[in-house]
Amino acid sequence: MKKIALILSLLTAFIGSSQCTDPVLTDFECGTPSHPFSGGVVVTNIANPFSSGINTSVNVGEAIDNGTEPFDALIVDYGAPIDLTTNPIFHIKVYTELTTPIPFVAKVEGGTTPLEISTTIDVSNEWTEFTFDFSSVADSGNTTLVVFFNFNETDGTTTDTYYIDDLFFGPADIEETMCEDPIITDFECDLPSHPITGDLTTIINPFIEGSNTSANVGEYTDNGTETFDNIAVNYTTPIDLTTNNKLRVKIYTTQTTNLLVKLEGGTSEPVELGNVGDAGDNIDVINAWKEYEFDFSDQAGENHERLVLFFNAGNEQPDPEIFFIDDLRWDSESLSVSEVAENTTFSVYPNPSDNMINIKSITQVIDFEIYDLSGKCVLKNNRENINISAINISTLSTGIYFLTLRSSSISQTIKVVKK
């Protein structure tokens, strides 16, 4: 048994022989802290006696504080200015079995402007992480960190015990930006102006083209087996539709679908715009960005607190669908003629048609293919680099088809119906 204990002791000494390095003071897994500890609080490296919650590390520090002395402390002397420009936030995890609340203070000193920050240990028998922000004295040249347990109090014992871990200086938290009304989200700000629920994530724009060249967009996964899963925007007060009452959203999809938009959740009766079930696909452009508008101007004086978007509303399909969305916002004006033109590079008419369909385009059409619902190409262009202004579909059977039109720089797919 003595031999085993000796071996474990030597092994522990070997594992703990390395030194922590800045910005870590100590995590008690390395052998010695990056800068020496001193002061009235004595710290010993021990096995973690309370491996739980936010701290399941192997080793921690046992800090013995004389609770009858108001200003005894753990002192860390850097011997040079602490780098608070890059890493101004001091972190420390604390566990105690003592009765709380306990005054807890961290201080930097030794430079032109010392700073003392106070907080309170409010929880017993649980690991808690504390942070102290010293960014306001980053350029003051402070060389010493001082930590006070039971600060300025004498009501403790001579052996008050605190367990500590993961002492380090880290970077300042980056403040998250929030979109502001009437923008719900453009996926460039970190947070929407109002909380959004649904299977929606921010991703890098995979289709930077046409009417949407922004860096980020939203990727929404619609569960095909749930007929009314949705994206919901939850307001805590009535939505102000007095001026900005036209809902706009840019959508990129690989297949046409219906979209139902609903206002609900307030004292007014719910109201819906768009299509549901087999009423038709109002999301009618595929493989290109298009901006859609839903005019709720008649709801300007009503009370609604929730906006809901149902993709593929009322329909079921075996597999999930992916939709890309962007620039979800309220606007005061309807889409202008130029915006409609930007949304739709190509359009066709008449649609449905029994023979010829004409092409309206803001650029020269040089190629086309028509696919049936199985994905089979049933008709394609057989002339190269000719400006195509009309297509004869009289040979096609009655049904739904997808027409892909191409210019020298862009392509767009449109659903067409052969009568």
Side-chain angles (χ1 to χ4, degrees), residues 6 21 46 48 50 64 114 139 177 224 269 294 310 312 340 346 353 356 370 382 389 407 411-412 419:
L6 177 59
T21 57
I46 66 169
N48 186 352
F50 305 105
I64 305 299
D139 298 325
T177 59
E269 288 294 318
F294 298 86
F310 301 91
N312 201 27
V340 172
F346 309 112
S353 174
M356 298 295 295
I370 296 179
N382 55 17
S389 59
S407 70
S411 67
Q412 182 177 323
K419 294 194 292 186

Side-chain angles (χ1 to χ4, degrees), residues 75-121:
I75 301 172
V76 185
D77 184 3
Y78 277 67
I82 305 170
D83 178 12
L84 299 177
T85 302
T86 306
N87 297 300
I89 311 297
F90 174 59
H91 296 249
I92 180 173
K93 292 175 183 173
V94 179
Y95 186 108
T96 185
E97 297 176 286
L98 300 174
T99 302
T100 56
I102 300 169
F104 188 37
V105 170
K107 179 182 181 180
V108 289
E109 60 185 22
T112 57
T113 308
L115 178 61
E116 182 178 288
I117 301 175
S118 301
T119 187
T120 304
I121 300 173

Side-chain angles (χ1 to χ4, degrees), residues 41 72-75 90 92 104-107 145-149:
V41 175
D72 62 335
L74 169 62
I75 301 172
F90 174 59
I92 180 173
F104 188 37
V105 170
K107 179 182 181 180
L145 170 70
V146 187
V147 179
F148 300 91
F149 297 93

